[in-house]
Amino acid sequence: MASGVRFVNVTKRFGSTTALNRLNLTIQPGELMVLVGPSGCGKTTALRLLAGLEEPTEGELYIGDRCVNEVSPRDRNVAMVFQNYALYPHMRVYDNIAFGLRLRELGSFWWQLTHYRQARQIQQQIDKRVRQVAQMLGIETLLHRLPGALSGGQRQRVALARAIVRQPEVFLMDEPLSNLDAQLRDQTRAELKKLQEQLGITTLYVTHDQKEAMTLGHRIAILKEGVLQQVGTPEEVYFQPANVFVATFIGTPPMNLLEAQVVPRADGTGCQLRLASHCITPLPAQQLLLHERIGQKVLLGVRPQHLYLAATAPPDARLSEPMQGQVDMVEPLGDHSDLHVLVDGQRVVVQLSAQVKVQEGEPLTLHLDLERLHLFDPVTGTRLQPR
């Protein structure tokens, strides 16, 4: 049975530096949770705390119902996969996979001599498990090789096999795919997701790659400077970001943010958002959010995929009033292009099909998808929510 994991008010300080600040996070049994954020945000520190490689300054760590603050790393029943694989170069693949099991399940050399029959049975069980896992990962023909004779993808599979063969309660993975080339990384990521679902082992996966986080995780926890920003499914963090940081960190290209002022409509019904020379009338539910902010500024967020030309808009989309802009730069990306457009002195990125031909310097008329509009407080950066 997989065990859940809980971080309860966990803080970690290194001298005057706070690497992790009051982290509260629950990972359900069998769940693949991805910790994502920029370098130095505390995600690897969280992993090392759970593994027992670091001690928390404050707070409690639970694996299942057991607080593991005072439990040694070897007794936590977790298996860790490192970024650099950490294989023993002088051992065959078979021995790399079996080594941890032998340490845990076999006694000393003298114990094996005095308990020969029992030790032999354990050796047979270990051999069976190693070969089963090797077959699962497609490396059964590599068991006689040394790590130096393997490709990067093969070494990654060996590192995974060494973790899986222990049958741990929790997998901890620290950017395990970052050393692979792009094509192999995509392939291995798909295999890893399928394998985790097959095994059903609770997994905490650390990465700085938001694409990796979105495609792998059942849920994603986003960190910034040691503080948890949002936890949710990939769809939740993409379509309902909790704040400006999440909005701009998740998604490629990142969300466009425009400064706008909330002003009353000329006919006295509701309010609208005014840029320098354009006005946008939000949907009624959005106007309710803005009613108490008339005269104040807000940040208007819209993803590049939700900005349209009149000819490219979905027929059922609820579009804003037209905005005039000028194309500053075109980035061809195969099946689509990213257009950098200047609107009222502010730059927005528009993602269009490559079939739509646009030239640099060309004037452009844009529409926002009002149902995909995001509103943020310009001071705190938090998403505006109904009271």
Side-chain angles (χ1 to χ4, degrees):
M1 280 289 288
S3 296
V5 169
R6 283 188 296 146
F7 292 80
V8 181
N9 292 322
V10 173
T11 296
K12 178 61 179 178
R13 299 187 188 94
F14 296 96
S16 60
T17 301
T18 301
L20 211 58
N21 191 5
R22 298 185 67 80
L23 175 62
N24 286 284
L25 181 65
T26 299
I27 305 164
Q28 301 299 330
E31 182 178 26
L32 197 165
M33 172 73 77
V34 178
L35 285 182
V36 65
S39 297
C41 70
K43 53 189 185 293
T44 297
T45 298
L47 207 68
R48 290 174 62 83
L49 287 169
L50 191 58
L53 303 179
E54 302 283 354
E55 295 183 1
T57 307
E58 299 171 10
E60 297 174 328
L61 293 155
Y62 289 87
I63 297 177
D65 296 326
R66 180 176 64 153
C67 179
V68 295
N69 284 41
E70 304 299 328
V71 178
S72 68
R74 65 168 294 163
D75 295 327
R76 295 192 183 195
N77 198 16
V78 301
M80 196 162 182
V81 181
F82 297 93
Q83 180 178 350
N84 62 358
Y85 316 142
L87 301 179
Y88 298 108
H90 63 289
M91 290 185 182
R92 297 177 306 152
V93 167
Y94 180 98
D95 296 313
N96 263 284
I97 298 172
F99 184 71
L101 281 181
R102 289 170 177 161
L103 282 181
R104 288 173 64 90
E105 299 188 17
L106 285 172
S108 66
F109 175 74
W110 295 110
W111 181 90
Q112 294 179 50
L113 284 179
T114 55
H115 298 78
Y116 173 76
R117 187 168 296 178
Q118 186 178 351
R120 187 176 178 182
Q121 290 176 345
I122 294 174
Q123 287 278 20
Q124 291 172 344
Q125 293 169 1
I126 290 174
D127 180 74
K128 182 179 178 181
R129 282 164 64 178
V130 168
R131 296 186 184 280
Q132 284 177 339
V133 171
Q135 185 176 13
M136 181 191 303
L137 291 169
I139 56 173
E140 66 272 22
T141 60
L142 307 177
L143 292 175
H144 65 285
R145 294 192 189 179
L146 292 172
L150 305 179
S151 68
Q154 290 169 336
R155 292 181 193 178
Q156 184 58 68
R157 285 181 173 84
V158 175
L160 286 170
R162 184 176 57 188
I164 293 167
V165 79
R166 289 183 53 190
Q167 299 176 338
E169 292 182 70
V170 180
F171 280 146
L172 305 177
M173 300 191 179
D174 189 8
E175 303 196 46
L177 308 182
S178 61
N179 288 335
L180 305 181
D181 61 65
Q183 184 175 357
L184 185 56
R185 186 162 60 242
D186 289 345
Q187 176 187 337
T188 309
R189 182 172 64 235
E191 293 173 353
L192 182 60
K193 183 173 184 177
K194 183 178 179 181
L195 182 65
Q196 193 276 337
E197 291 175 351
Q198 177 184 342
L199 295 172
I201 296 177
T202 307
T203 303
L204 186 58
Y205 188 105
V206 160
T207 182
H208 66 274
D209 185 334
Q210 54 95 10
K211 177 184 176 183
E212 200 167 274
M214 294 285 284
T215 53
L216 262 180
H218 298 147
R219 288 191 300 155
I220 302 171
I222 302 160
L223 291 168
K224 177 190 177 187
E225 297 176 354
V227 178
L228 184 64
Q229 304 293 308
Q230 185 174 2
V231 182
T233 65
E235 293 78 14
E236 287 169 346
V237 299
Y238 184 82
F239 290 108
Q240 297 179 331
N243 54 42
V244 167
F245 175 78
V246 176
T248 53
F249 188 80
I250 297 295
T252 304
M255 182 182 289
N256 297 300
L257 294 172
L258 295 167
E259 290 186 358
Q261 187 170 27
V262 184
V263 297
R265 296 183 64 185
D267 59 7
T269 60
C271 58
Q272 57 188 359
L273 295 166
R274 185 175 66 196
L275 306 177
S277 60
H278 298 94
C279 283
I280 297 169
T281 302
L283 298 176
Q286 297 164 342
Q287 292 189 47
L288 287 176
L289 285 178
L290 298 170
H291 179 70
E292 295 180 359
R293 291 177 174 262
I294 291 178
Q296 301 177 25
K297 290 185 177 181
V298 296
L299 287 177
L300 182 159
V302 60
R303 294 204 178 274
Q305 299 89 335
H306 302 144
L307 279 163
Y308 304 108
L309 307 182
T312 64
D316 57 346
R318 302 176 71 175
L319 301 179
S320 70
E321 296 85 349
M323 299 190 305
Q324 305 304 316
Q326 186 176 41
V327 180
D328 184 55
M329 184 172 66
V330 179
E331 292 183 298
L333 295 166
D335 63 341
H336 70 274
S337 297
D338 287 346
L339 311 183
H340 295 250
V341 183
L342 296 176
V343 178
D344 286 343
Q346 302 186 67
R347 183 182 296 270
V348 298
V349 178
V350 183
Q351 201 166 84
L352 292 180
S353 167
Q355 297 175 349
V356 181
K357 301 302 180 183
V358 179
Q359 302 297 322
E360 291 182 5
E362 183 179 333
L364 213 60
T365 301
L366 298 174
H367 298 267
L368 283 70
D369 186 338
L370 294 174
E371 293 181 321
R372 300 297 188 187
L373 205 62
H374 305 265
L375 299 168
F376 302 97
D377 186 299
V379 178
T380 64
T382 55
R383 183 185 184 88
L384 301 186
Q385 302 280 12
R387 293 188 176 181

